Amino acid sequence: MLRKLFILLDEMPESRELLQQSVHLLSGSKLPFVTTAYINGATDIDYSPLFDRAHLNNNQYTYTDIVDKIYHHADTVDEISALGIKFQYEQTGARPVIYLDEDMPELKFLTDARYHDMLVIGQSTMRHIVATERGRHMLKRILAKTEIPTLLLANGITRFKTIILMYDGSARSMEAIKLFCYLMGKHITTNQLVLFTIINEQSAENESKACDFIKKYRIDFSVKRVYENEQWFELDTYLNELSEYLLVNGAGRDYITEDIIYNTANSKLLNGKKSAFIF
């Protein structure tokens, strides 16, 4: 069950869709408590002239004040879009937070993220952030240092079609699978499910335990096994065959970082209906 959701947004109009989409995809019987985050310097818009730091630190801005300042300042957002974004805040009860520290505002963001169950970063937000060098460094640090499960979410999707659970026998990859099932278990029965096992001594010994755990949520699923020295090539090949998917990865974040930060032009996760859940 997801109780506290943390969403990284920017000043683009797609924020409205991401806020609505995240709550729809991730809510159970009750809406989670939602906090939205805007990090100064993540994009080419400077938020600092818009806010009095003393007022901000003393929580003297209402959510309407914050949303108005951010979205009316952006040339990309018209009045109708700004009203739509405010309406989504009202519907979800989301609370916006601004991070203005001059040096590395993402560090305070990472500290606050610890008190939530999941971080969501939308595809359009990632594309906007990686457009600048500072943004790329900031996103790289966030992806590397976030201590909670992180969902990198494709634009506009209502389901994932195929969910790939990466498993290399390590405790970390098993924990990622458990957290995914706990936080997003409702999606397991409505999408094709694949356990992608990386063959090594640990996985050979523990794969049956992973399968037994997954069977608590779904009896029928596929298992694909690849050798350890070929895992990234085999994963790339497999993902290229799919038009829509969610990759659950606790077996190493370097693959995700390289795809988003260093392979921006041809990135899987910055284009199409492709998402990732990392831990």
Side-chain angles (χ1 to χ4, degrees):
M1 178 186 297
L2 186 66
R3 294 165 298 179
K4 298 182 70 176
L5 182 62
F6 204 39
I7 307 176
L8 178 59
L9 295 180
D10 60 20
E11 66 284 349
M12 301 298 281
E14 291 88 347
S15 293
R16 176 176 61 180
E17 284 75 23
L18 178 60
L19 181 52
Q20 181 181 31
Q21 178 191 6
S22 300
V23 173
H24 172 74
L25 275 174
L26 301 172
S27 292
S29 57
K30 295 182 178 180
L31 286 177
F33 180 81
V34 180
T35 302
T36 59
Y38 300 84
I39 305 178
N40 197 45
T43 65
D44 53 7
I45 300 293
D46 184 7
Y47 298 144
S48 55
L50 307 179
F51 297 95
D52 181 284
R53 288 177 183 270
H55 289 180
L56 198 61
N57 292 336
N58 292 323
N59 297 316
Q60 292 178 275
Y61 289 112
T62 67
Y63 87 85
T64 303
D65 293 333
I66 294 174
V67 172
D68 275 342
K69 287 177 180 294
I70 289 174
Y71 292 103
H72 281 127
H73 178 73
D75 294 335
T76 55
V77 180
D78 57 28
E79 186 65 29
I80 299 298
S81 295
L83 287 172
I85 291 165
K86 284 198 287 187
F87 177 74
Q88 288 304 319
Y89 269 92
E90 292 171 2
Q91 290 292 300
T92 60
R95 179 179 67 93
V97 178
I98 309 293
Y99 295 91
L100 288 182
D101 293 350
E102 293 180 5
D103 188 12
M104 289 193 291
E106 67 272 23
L107 296 183
K108 180 64 167 62
F109 166 87
L110 287 167
T111 298
D112 289 350
R114 296 174 185 168
Y115 302 102
H116 297 78
D117 297 321
M118 185 189 296
L119 168 65
V120 176
I121 309 176
Q123 191 178 66
S124 58
T125 300
M126 289 191 292
R127 282 202 297 257
H128 198 196
I129 291 174
V130 299
T132 68
E133 183 175 357
R134 184 182 180 189
R136 285 193 296 275
H137 286 297
M138 194 176 288
L139 185 58
K140 180 181 177 182
R141 192 173 292 114
I142 289 170
L143 293 176
K145 300 293 185 182
T146 303
E147 298 177 8
I148 61 173
T150 301
L151 178 64
L152 308 177
L153 186 59
N155 290 350
I157 61 167
T158 57
R159 62 189 296 264
F160 300 107
K161 195 170 182 179
T162 302
I163 297 173
I164 305 107
L165 308 174
M166 285 194 69
Y167 181 66
D168 65 356
S170 66
R172 185 78 177 189
S173 67
M174 189 66 233
E175 187 66 18
I177 292 171
K178 288 181 176 179
L179 283 167
F180 170 74
C181 291
Y182 177 72
L183 295 171
M184 298 181 63
K186 70 176 185 178
H187 295 283
I188 291 176
T189 57
T190 57
N191 297 274
Q192 181 183 356
L193 189 65
V194 179
L195 180 65
F196 191 94
T197 300
I198 299 156
I199 300 171
N200 56 34
E201 188 174 338
Q202 282 182 301
S203 64
E205 182 178 342
N206 296 318
E207 186 190 64
S208 61
K209 297 176 184 177
C211 289
D212 288 343
F213 176 82
I214 296 167
K215 286 176 182 177
K216 295 177 182 178
Y217 293 85
R218 180 168 177 169
I219 295 297
D220 58 318
F221 57 91
S222 304
V223 178
K224 181 175 176 62
R225 299 181 180 90
V226 300
Y227 290 109
E228 190 170 31
N229 62 340
E230 299 174 347
Q231 60 178 301
W232 303 118
F233 172 77
E234 291 287 352
L235 179 62
D236 256 341
T237 302
Y238 182 60
L239 294 181
N240 286 336
E241 296 172 356
L242 304 174
S243 58
E244 303 175 38
Y245 61 76
L246 171 66
L247 175 65
V248 178
N249 182 9
R253 298 189 183 190
D254 289 348
Y255 177 85
I256 302 295
T257 303
E258 183 173 336
D259 177 72
I260 295 172
I261 305 297
Y262 301 114
N263 190 34
T264 302
N266 300 303
S267 168
K268 294 180 177 63
L269 293 171
L270 294 180
N271 300 284
K273 298 179 178 181
K274 299 160 187 178
S275 305
F277 177 100
I278 59 176
F279 178 67

